[in-house]
Every structure is written in C-alpha cells, then in structure tokens.
Amino acid sequence: SFDIELCSEIKDYLEKNKTRLIDRAQIKRSKQKWYTLLWPRNKELFEGNAIVTSYRPSNIDFAFKDFTFYSGTDTYYISNPNEKYSLLFILGAINSVVAKAWFFNRGKVKGKALEMTGDNIEKFPVPQIKNSRDKENADKINILVEKIIENKKKDSEFDTGELEVEI
C-alpha cells in the first residue's frame, strides 16, 4: 500500500489536482483513495513504440507512436510484447477499409463518434501469416506503412491515399 504522506512533493502536486482526480469514474465507483490508479500502468507502454487510438474517434483511425506519450483513459494503446507480428503490419491491417467496416459493425455510435472498446480491439482478427506468400504480403504492408509514416513525419498533410489503397 502506498502512503502518500511519505512523499510530500508528490502529495503537493496531487493536491493541486485533487478536484479532477476525485471526479474520475473509477474513483467514484470504487473504494480506492482519490490519488490512486485503479488499474496499474506499464511505463513501457507509454514510452515505447505502440499503436494508439481514441476511445471515441470521429474517424476510425489508429496511429503509430515512436515517442513518449502519456494519456488518460480515453486512449487505447496496442503494444507488441510477443512480436508475433510487427506493429507496422498490425497498423496496416487495423487501418484497412475491411477493418473499419469490422469495427463499425461492432461499435456503438455516439453522435458522430464510434465508441471503441478494448474488447473489440482485442478481438480484431489480425490476418494470419501461414506461408511464404502471406509473409511476402506482410512485408509489403510493413514497407507501405513505413512509407506512410515517413511521409507524414515530413508533411502531416501528405496525401497517403495511394499507399493506403495498396494495403
């Protein structure tokens, strides 16, 4: 158990934000202390490479992050701890037209946004790589996604439509 009284600088910082921290849904619904996290977080998820998406995106879009990025509970992170598939391959698959239709048919529409859930994201059927042809296709997707990321880093307005169609 964490004793906040032993860490005066942390306590002072948290006290400044107490109103916002008390207002979190997980604190209201639980017996947790106002300054705790109900679900432990893994530092590597925020600091390492990952795919991210919003809880309620207006467009079903997933992005690759290769920098430190901390966010609240309205962001989903997809990491790749077992490296069965590269994050770039997963990103290409999960941003495809087929995937967007898959998520749309399983999500809840909330106004102009689609509510994404961790359960739906986890259940997304990533294409299997079973043979050399599948491996070649996966490698091609990796290269195309790398090109999209490189071009977007240089110019965020770069039109990636042609590359996306190839995926």
Side-chain angles (χ1 to χ4, degrees):
S1 175
F2 176 73
D3 185 358
I4 196 168
E5 300 300 326
L6 298 175
C7 305
S8 63
E9 289 180 19
I10 293 172
K11 181 182 177 192
D12 291 345
Y13 175 79
L14 293 174
E15 287 282 352
K16 290 176 190 173
N17 296 285
K18 187 173 182 175
T19 304
R20 288 178 61 205
L21 293 169
I22 287 173
D23 200 37
R24 295 176 295 157
Q26 71 252 30
I27 297 302
K28 289 179 179 179
R29 291 191 304 251
S30 74
K31 294 180 181 179
Q32 295 288 113
K33 294 180 181 174
W34 63 270
Y35 54 82
T36 61
L37 288 174
L38 191 56
W39 302 282
R41 309 303 198 276
N42 181 340
K43 179 172 121 174
E44 287 75 28
L45 188 60
F46 300 107
E47 296 180 356
N49 292 349
I51 297 170
V52 294
T53 194
S54 175
Y55 170 65
R56 284 196 179 150
S58 54
N59 294 311
I60 304 170
D61 289 318
F62 293 80
F64 182 76
K65 73 157 203 74
D66 57 359
F67 52 89
T68 298
F69 175 70
Y70 288 88
S71 66
T73 57
D74 61 347
T75 305
Y76 287 105
Y77 288 73
I78 301 170
S79 63
N80 201 7
N82 67 10
E83 298 191 22
K84 182 176 180 182
Y85 302 105
S86 76
L87 280 174
L88 297 181
F89 174 72
I90 295 169
L91 182 62
I94 209 165
N95 271 332
S96 69
V97 173
V98 173
K100 289 177 193 286
W102 190 91
F103 283 113
F104 187 78
N105 286 317
R106 284 159 182 77
K108 295 178 187 172
V109 176
K110 302 281 185 171
K112 293 183 178 181
L114 179 69
E115 185 174 272
M116 301 293 283
T117 65
D119 192 46
N120 278 350
I121 294 169
E122 286 179 13
K123 289 180 179 175
F124 174 73
V126 176
Q128 301 293 306
I129 301 173
K130 297 178 181 177
N131 54 47
S132 60
R133 184 170 181 226
D134 293 343
K135 175 76 170 111
E136 286 175 26
N137 288 332
D139 291 342
K140 182 179 178 183
I141 289 171
N142 283 334
I143 291 167
L144 291 167
V145 171
E146 280 178 356
K147 285 181 182 178
I148 290 170
I149 292 169
E150 287 171 16
N151 284 307
K152 285 291 189 179
K153 280 183 177 181
K154 291 176 190 170
D155 175 8
S156 64
E157 299 297 318
F158 183 83
D159 182 5
T160 58
E162 287 182 30
L163 295 169
E164 291 174 30
V165 167
E166 285 189 60
I167 293 173

